[in-house]
Amino acid sequence: MPALAVLWITGCRPAEIEKGIELVAGRDQLVVKITGAKCEDAGGRERGQPTRHIGFSVDANANPALRFLHALAVQSAADGTGRYTIRHNKDYLYNSVVALGRSAFPKLRTRISPYCFRHQVASDLKAAASDREITLEQAAKVMGHLSDYSIGAYGHAVHGRRGRAGRVLVPYVRTARPIKHSPKVDRLARFKMASAKRRQHKAD
């Protein structure tokens, strides 16, 4: 299912897939355009990203899901550019992923849903940010957030994937709105540094 591949590499929301995910592919590149699902709060204030474009480099060693989506788009290429749109009902997608999870892992007590992909992508992004492959601002853009603090609610860097079939590198991402920097991010960073120093001091 193409929607699973989109979830794997972008961690987007089911409601965003329902709106339609646009793929644009060149010879060795793929751009995924996502129309945001959470762009205003109950008071009409801005939140999230109305649109985001995530660009990937594609080669023989790229993530299998990424290569699959690239192949879908290039099969109808005209003048070197291929396009493909992926759209699924969000409830059908959610229930399908849950059913697949139960079938694949019948003894697992935790429900597998599309949001598991979102948490995993967030973990990958946090790991990449820790390794200084990307910035926290770029990670927020991929997730479709408005603040660089919001990603804190998703995943953990220690669970980030590595290896050929692991996390997907994101060389390019653009959003409709600029990312707002939260002072909470700085306070959290200082807290982590202080905690690490205390642990080191105890170890010595």
Side-chain angles (χ1 to χ4, degrees):
M1 183 186 295
L4 290 179
V6 172
L7 289 171
W8 187 355
I9 69 168
T10 70
C12 67
R13 305 174 180 93
E16 293 171 334
I17 292 181
E18 185 172 66
K19 289 188 173 185
I21 303 296
E22 298 179 32
L23 308 179
V24 180
R27 180 179 178 182
D28 55 1
Q29 295 179 328
L30 177 70
V31 175
V32 181
K33 179 185 177 182
I34 301 172
T35 300
K38 292 185 176 181
C39 303
E40 290 185 355
D41 63 15
R45 292 168 296 188
E46 287 186 355
R47 59 173 297 188
Q49 298 293 342
T51 59
R52 58 192 186 275
H53 294 76
I54 308 173
F56 303 92
S57 296
V58 184
D59 58 27
N61 296 318
N63 180 284
L66 182 57
R67 287 189 283 114
F68 171 70
L69 293 176
H70 182 264
L72 278 180
V74 298
Q75 67 183 0
S76 60
D79 298 325
T81 301
R83 299 178 184 275
Y84 193 89
T85 300
I86 297 170
R87 182 180 285 107
H88 281 284
N89 175 273
K90 63 181 180 180
D91 294 327
Y92 174 80
L93 176 61
Y94 185 94
N95 292 331
S96 295
V97 172
V98 170
L100 284 171
R102 287 174 177 168
S103 176
F105 306 102
K107 295 183 179 180
L108 188 66
R109 294 184 179 181
T110 304
R111 175 183 296 178
I112 296 177
S113 77
Y115 287 94
C116 292
F117 291 89
R118 187 162 176 78
H119 280 278
Q120 183 59 60
V121 169
S123 296
D124 295 344
L125 292 169
K126 286 181 175 180
S130 296
D131 294 341
R132 298 188 178 183
E133 294 177 358
I134 63 172
T135 64
L136 196 58
E137 178 182 346
Q138 288 174 304
K141 288 182 176 181
V142 173
M143 294 291 289
H145 292 153
L146 187 60
S147 167
D148 58 5
Y149 183 71
S150 299
I151 196 173
Y154 297 86
H156 301 279
V158 294
H159 297 152
R161 296 173 293 189
R162 289 176 171 80
R164 177 182 173 185
R167 73 186 186 218
V168 181
L169 298 179
V170 181
Y172 166 83
V173 58
R174 176 169 58 87
T175 53
R177 295 168 177 165
I179 300 299
K180 296 180 180 179
H181 176 65
S182 171
K184 294 179 182 179
V185 172
D186 300 325
R187 290 198 293 270
L188 181 60
R190 289 194 294 269
F191 173 77
K192 289 182 177 179
M193 290 177 63
S195 297
K197 288 181 179 179
R198 285 196 295 270
R199 288 194 297 270
Q200 183 63 39
H201 180 71
K202 289 181 179 179
D204 294 339

